[in-house]
Amino acid sequence: MAKAASYALPTRRAHVMGILNVTPDSFSDGGRFSAADVALEHAKSMIAEGADLLDVGAESTRPGSTPVELDEEWARLAPILEPVIDLGIPVSIDTYKAEIARRAGSAGAALVNDVWGLQKDPAMADTVAELGLPVVMMHNRDEADAGIDILADIDRFFEISMSLADRAGIPRDKQILDPGFGFGKTIDQNFIILNRLETLKKHGLPILAGASRKRMIGAVLGVETDERLFGSMAVHITAIQNGASIIRVHDVRPHADCVRMLEATRLERNPA
């Protein structure tokens, strides 16, 4: 078995996180990669295309999705997790369940990605601290509310998440914030967040942006999910320019190329 790769937060260019869904009902690619052999080949392809890390999830978090019991989630993950980890790239576990995070961390996962920002499972913060892993704390809401100040709501949510992380003993240099594009937000609120993403840097933590193929793109362009690549790239380029350190994407190669070009522009030279 290969030694599991650890994850170091970005210090120079933005990182590209490739999405590997092993679910039958993901909004974008549900069922396509649920077979272990197919999922493994897709993971290899994303690595070859330039992914810096992979985010493996076994429960859809799309609006209206059916919650998955812990044993079912692990049954989906178990056949694929260690083979993907053995590929030698840092692997993130996309879960809000502490026990799933614990099992994945024990198997060699390098990062925990919690779509409820440590606030859904009371054991999650302590579990992440015990594992010694970095954690993505994403802002979420049960439902969208057009009447709220979404940036203020995100700030309040993050203060709670950071407090939970601090009390559990998760170092600040292992905490990452994700504003949660598409999660409990109106279309307009998503664009407010994107345009003012830099304001979240006041918390002093890296920012992850994940808008790949989401409804905010379809609403503007009038295209179906599988036709949202160019819109996804536009959103993620904007996010990087506004302060994002990690972008979470389905289509790795085009985004990896964008990141390299942005870095060359920033440096005013070829970074290779």
Side-chain angles (χ1 to χ4, degrees):
M1 179 182 294
K3 185 178 184 296
S6 60
Y7 181 63
L9 295 176
T11 57
R12 188 170 60 89
R13 65 166 176 81
H15 283 183
V16 177
M17 172 189 276
I19 299 169
L20 183 62
N21 287 321
V22 288
T23 63
D25 58 346
S26 170
F27 87 96
S28 177
D29 49 19
R32 288 185 60 196
F33 307 115
S34 55
D37 56 342
V38 178
L40 185 60
E41 289 305 309
H42 184 54
K44 291 177 181 178
S45 295
M46 288 192 287
I47 293 170
E49 290 174 352
D52 296 290
L53 68 161
L54 300 179
D55 190 42
V56 182
E59 177 177 3
S60 175
T61 51
R62 64 177 174 80
S65 60
T66 302
V68 175
E69 295 298 323
L70 188 150
D71 288 344
E72 173 63 22
E73 185 175 351
W74 185 248
R76 296 175 182 179
L77 285 168
I80 187 61
L81 191 58
E82 289 196 30
V84 171
I85 289 168
D86 286 346
L87 296 176
I89 189 171
V91 171
S92 165
I93 179 66
D94 180 2
T95 188
Y96 57 84
K97 300 184 181 76
E99 180 58 25
I100 296 294
R102 184 186 303 280
R103 295 180 190 182
S106 298
L111 185 76
V112 175
N113 182 11
D114 183 352
V115 298
W116 281 100
L118 306 178
Q119 298 182 40
K120 192 78 165 180
D121 187 332
M124 182 62 99
D126 287 336
T127 297
V128 172
E130 291 167 13
L131 291 168
L133 299 180
V135 61
V136 178
M137 302 179 294
M138 195 192 84
H139 173 269
N140 210 333
R141 293 177 53 82
D142 289 319
E143 59 184 28
D145 181 352
I148 66 170
D149 180 336
I150 191 63
L151 294 175
D153 192 77
I154 289 173
D155 282 338
R156 287 191 294 268
F157 186 98
F158 282 161
E159 290 296 342
I160 294 171
S161 293
M162 291 186 294
S163 178
L164 289 169
D166 291 342
R167 288 203 300 267
I170 302 171
R172 279 294 174 107
D173 63 5
K174 290 188 175 182
Q175 299 178 30
I176 303 164
L177 302 178
D178 177 354
F181 289 107
F183 287 83
K185 289 139 183 111
T186 67
I187 298 298
D188 291 351
Q189 286 171 342
N190 285 310
F191 286 104
I192 290 170
I193 295 164
L194 178 62
N195 198 40
R196 304 180 195 175
L197 194 66
E198 192 168 6
T199 64
L200 299 180
K201 296 181 74 174
K202 66 187 174 188
H203 297 292
L205 302 180
I207 299 168
L208 182 150
S212 186
R213 304 181 184 174
K214 289 193 174 176
R215 191 166 61 95
M216 62 185 288
I217 297 163
V220 172
L221 302 181
V223 295
E224 296 301 318
T225 305
D226 60 358
E227 298 179 315
R228 297 175 186 174
L229 168 59
F230 302 128
S232 298
M233 292 167 63
V235 171
H236 289 135
I237 289 169
T238 303
I240 292 171
Q241 292 176 323
N242 288 350
S245 298
I246 306 168
I247 52 173
R248 182 179 181 273
V249 307
H250 294 90
D251 303 285
V252 169
R253 175 63 186 274
H255 285 94
D257 285 354
C258 285
V259 165
R260 290 171 62 191
M261 294 308 299
L262 285 172
E263 178 66 4
T265 302
R266 185 183 70 82
L267 297 173
E268 298 183 353
R269 62 175 174 79
N270 184 351

